Amino acid sequence: MLSHVLTPSNCLLLCVQQNDTDQVPSGPSFMVVVAIDFGTTSSGYAYAFAKEPECIHTMRRWEGGDPGVSNQKTPTTILLTPDRKFHSFGYAARDFYHDLDPSESKHWLYLEKFKMKLHTTANLSIDTDLHAANGKRVKALDIFAYALAFFKEQALKELSDQTGGEFDNNDVRWVITVPAIWKMPAKQFMREAAYKSGLVPRENPEQLIIALEPEAASIYCRKLRLHQMVDLGTQTTQNGFSPTDNVGSGMSQAKEHVRRNRQSRTFLVENVIGELWSELEEGDRYVVVDCGGGTVDLTVHQIRLPEGHLKELYKASGGPYGSIGIDYEFEKLLCKIFGQDFIDQFKIKRPAAWVDLMIAFESRKRAAAPDRTNPLNINLPFSFIDYYKKFRGHSVEHALRKSNVDFVKWSSQGMLRMSPDAMNSLFKPTIDHIIQHLTELFDKPEVSDIKFLFLVGGFAESPLLQQAVQNMLQGRSRIIIPHDVGLTILKGAVLFGLDPSVIKVRRSPLTYGVGVLNRFVEGKHPPEKLLVKDGTRWCTDVFDTFIAVDQSVALGEMVKRSYTPAKPSQQVIVIHVYCSEKESVGFISEPGVRKCGTLRLDVSGTESTAARREIQTLMQFGDTEIRAMAVDVSTGRTVKASIDFLSH
């Protein structure tokens, strides 16, 4: 009845009327899916052609690179010229910035690790600012848009070279990955940045899919073959090794295997289900722990056979416990030795040298292991030593001697010498957070009988983290680490873009609803909520629940509500959306309930002769983003509906 006015984003209306939520009509067909993994510390892209979905290509090798970091991805660093124009991204940005003269570099705007700002900003808006290394403020939206535009250009260039002609952006379905624990405003912010960057036009929203990082990892892990992963569970005392010896050795063999295969950059994915998966039976459960640079995300999935669809069993959880926490601990250690006042000053006055110091730390951080006995040396840049002497009037060596940090020494070659215990103690707060979170998750009734725990993301390579997870689980689940653990999300995101309907059931992260007026009932409703209008007694502020926290929602499932314009001439209906972490909410004025968005129905141009206009609104909560659409019941015409979570 409505088929003629359905665009792909509201084609789900058809399904609702057939009450069959599985057959979601697919959107327009795309020749290629390109996924961008926009990480806190490193980023990259991968792609697959729709006609060869089992071939996933990861991006070309990047120029530059760090010692001890073999990675297809590039650092998430961006450099703007003094007049705020985009200059470069990744290694190129870092190297150029580093080579600038200090007198010049303080005018350039260099940013890194800025993605976390979207998670930590309480009232995120289009106008949220970021701070560059020199302390200057820039608009976050501009920075994210510059980064996405850079990836668009790189990917289209590579696709054009591959196909031997100019590749048209309209033929690409783009996928951007975000942490599952991100709230709606942060997801919407990414979408706004994509529109601004020209990745996709605003009129064609379905050309961009937001993918949740641990979901993407989960989709890829189902395709794993036995030679593509390390199973920590089976590595107990074989051949006289203890499990901890094996943590490192299994990973180093894996890295060797990845290095040998790196040249091809093309990964063949089983179009059937991987070998590991063949051990899973209907209803089996597993956990994906995605340990990235900024966040750690935990997802619990259950398998539905025969197609191998996935169902989320418990709402995504996690927190800001990524590997940059270790960098902050290192910074705290430096402040303890050299003084907070000096470190703050040094970062602003010699930003490029500070970046250098953190790169040196990064490569030593990757060498930390539970059984390590020899110390780790970290190069102090000459300008650090020099600037410290000017600032304090005594040497770095003197500072180390008089600080009471006994496990960090000064070596005559101009290096900080850290004992393995000192390095391990920098990891401890972050790893403790992750283990605490995992412990709490495994105590939940929905999370019993977990067959596998997949450890993915760049931080999953850390033997210290692997050992901690092993000790916590005590053999309750098998721990699986894919070989190319840093690229797992990227490849899964491509698979998700090829078939977004693979995840059939999700859990709502919050309770959502709106405030409504109900007929006042004596004894049930509090007297202070009474409103008398035209002789009728109403109860105000009643919370009308659309969906409750941790409720399971099928893909394409709709919440239906009807709204009537207050007066016939009204052009726009604006409805405030509220959310809460509590499951049952009675009134929008209760503690813990906050306004989180607005539903906007544009009813202009749909005026009808009907005495009472009814606008039927359909909201969809089962996808990675919340969507709304609406229809004027009397005329059957589509009403433009949008739901906005970014506070303006």
Side-chain angles (χ1 to χ4, degrees), residues 14 76 95 138 156 174 209 248 291 314 375 432 510 564 581 598 609:
L14 286 175
T76 308
D95 297 346
V138 281
L156 288 179
W174 293 94
I209 296 181
C291 311
Y314 183 72
D432 285 351
L510 293 166
T564 303
E581 293 181 7
T598 47
T609 51

Side-chain angles (χ1 to χ4, degrees), residues 310-433:
L310 302 178
K311 171 180 172 183
E312 192 174 27
L313 286 183
Y314 183 72
K315 66 178 192 291
S317 62
Y321 320 133
S323 59
I324 55 172
I326 303 155
D327 303 355
Y328 293 141
E329 289 300 318
F330 178 59
E331 195 178 315
K332 275 175 20 196
L333 179 69
L334 292 176
C335 290
K336 203 165 159 188
I337 300 169
F338 302 108
Q340 173 101 39
D341 54 345
F342 166 71
I343 295 294
D344 289 347
Q345 202 52 29
F346 180 71
K347 279 161 77 173
I348 293 289
K349 290 281 189 282
R350 299 278 185 277
W354 174 256
V355 170
D356 258 12
L357 174 56
M358 291 316 282
I359 292 167
F361 173 69
E362 180 69 32
S363 82
R364 303 327 296 140
K365 178 169 104 178
R366 286 169 185 268
D371 43 6
R372 191 183 172 102
T373 50
N374 47 337
L376 296 127
N377 293 324
I378 294 162
N379 252 323
L380 278 185
F382 170 72
S383 69
F384 185 97
I385 299 167
D386 182 51
Y387 193 73
Y388 184 77
K389 197 159 176 55
K390 285 187 185 130
F391 189 90
R392 284 271 190 261
H394 58 238
S395 69
V396 160
E397 198 176 347
H398 175 80
L400 272 158
R401 268 206 313 273
K402 84 173 199 338
S403 82
N404 47 10
V405 180
D406 49 358
F407 41 69
V408 181
K409 301 274 179 275
W410 176 246
S411 83
S412 51
Q413 302 93 22
M415 298 196 195
L416 282 183
R417 179 166 252 169
M418 293 183 77
S419 71
D421 285 351
M423 180 58 100
N424 295 2
S425 71
L426 298 182
F427 277 76
K428 191 172 169 8
T430 303
I431 289 181
D432 285 351
H433 269 304

Side-chain angles (χ1 to χ4, degrees), residues 61-66 91-92 95:
R61 267 306 294 200
W62 294 77
E63 66 299 335
D66 287 338
Y91 290 116
D95 297 346

Side-chain angles (χ1 to χ4, degrees), residues 315-577:
K315 66 178 192 291
S317 62
Y321 320 133
S323 59
I324 55 172
I326 303 155
D327 303 355
Y328 293 141
E329 289 300 318
F330 178 59
E331 195 178 315
K332 275 175 20 196
L333 179 69
L334 292 176
C335 290
K336 203 165 159 188
I337 300 169
F338 302 108
Q340 173 101 39
D341 54 345
F342 166 71
I343 295 294
D344 289 347
Q345 202 52 29
F346 180 71
K347 279 161 77 173
I348 293 289
K349 290 281 189 282
R350 299 278 185 277
W354 174 256
V355 170
D356 258 12
L357 174 56
M358 291 316 282
I359 292 167
F361 173 69
E362 180 69 32
S363 82
R364 303 327 296 140
K365 178 169 104 178
R366 286 169 185 268
D371 43 6
R372 191 183 172 102
T373 50
N374 47 337
L376 296 127
N377 293 324
I378 294 162
N379 252 323
L380 278 185
F382 170 72
S383 69
F384 185 97
I385 299 167
D386 182 51
Y387 193 73
Y388 184 77
K389 197 159 176 55
K390 285 187 185 130
F391 189 90
R392 284 271 190 261
H394 58 238
S395 69
V396 160
E397 198 176 347
H398 175 80
L400 272 158
R401 268 206 313 273
K402 84 173 199 338
S403 82
N404 47 10
V405 180
D406 49 358
F407 41 69
V408 181
K409 301 274 179 275
W410 176 246
S411 83
S412 51
Q413 302 93 22
M415 298 196 195
L416 282 183
R417 179 166 252 169
M418 293 183 77
S419 71
D421 285 351
M423 180 58 100
N424 295 2
S425 71
L426 298 182
F427 277 76
K428 191 172 169 8
T430 303
I431 289 181
D432 285 351
H433 269 304
I434 297 171
I435 296 302
Q436 183 194 343
H437 205 96
L438 265 175
T439 309
E440 286 168 11
L441 184 71
F442 271 74
D443 285 344
K444 302 224 180 301
E446 306 91 324
V447 193
S448 54
D449 310 325
I450 298 294
K451 203 166 207 176
F452 294 112
L453 181 142
F454 290 104
L455 207 49
V456 302
F459 192 17
E461 286 180 21
S462 160
L464 290 166
L465 177 61
Q466 292 172 13
Q467 188 192 39
V469 173
Q470 238 177 333
N471 293 345
M472 178 233 125
L473 280 177
Q474 296 286 318
R476 278 186 288 176
S477 308
R478 274 167 63 191
I479 302 170
I480 306 286
I481 305 170
H483 277 176
D484 44 353
V485 66
L487 297 174
T488 307
I489 289 156
L490 202 41
K491 296 177 194 171
V494 173
L495 294 170
F496 182 65
L498 290 163
D499 177 18
S501 67
V502 55
I503 301 198
K504 292 288 183 214
V505 181
R506 288 187 174 84
R507 298 268 172 170
S508 176
L510 293 166
T511 296
Y512 288 100
V514 293
V516 293
L517 290 174
N518 276 358
R519 287 288 170 100
F520 191 85
V521 180
E522 286 295 341
K524 176 186 168 190
H525 291 139
E528 67 273 12
K529 298 281 183 202
L530 173 64
L531 169 80
V532 181
K533 198 173 172 206
D534 301 334
T536 309
R537 295 156 62 84
W538 296 99
C539 176
T540 60
D541 293 348
V542 176
F543 187 90
D544 169 26
T545 305
F546 289 163
I547 187 164
V549 64
D550 208 30
Q551 183 181 330
S552 58
V553 211
L555 192 62
E557 204 176 293
M558 297 289 186
V559 176
K560 271 190 203 176
R561 291 289 186 276
S562 288
Y563 298 107
T564 303
K567 32 184 197 300
S569 59
Q570 194 173 343
Q571 301 287 305
V572 177
I573 304 177
V574 176
I575 297 158
H576 295 313
V577 179

Side-chain angles (χ1 to χ4, degrees), residues 5 7 9-10 13 188 195 202 205-206 546 558-559 561 563 571-575 577 598-604 606 615-620 626-632 637-645:
V5 290
T7 63
S9 64
N10 41 13
L13 279 172
Q188 190 181 330
Y195 294 150
R202 198 181 283 278
E206 55 285 328
F546 289 163
M558 297 289 186
V559 176
R561 291 289 186 276
Y563 298 107
Q571 301 287 305
V572 177
I573 304 177
V574 176
I575 297 158
V577 179
T598 47
L599 173 65
R600 204 185 142 88
L601 306 174
D602 183 350
V603 291
S604 60
T606 58
I615 309 296
Q616 191 181 62
T617 308
L618 296 166
M619 277 151 298
Q620 182 186 344
I626 297 172
R627 295 207 186 87
M629 42 221 134
V631 173
D632 187 322
R637 303 231 306 261
T638 300
V639 171
K640 195 167 167 246
S642 59
I643 192 158
D644 181 17
F645 291 96

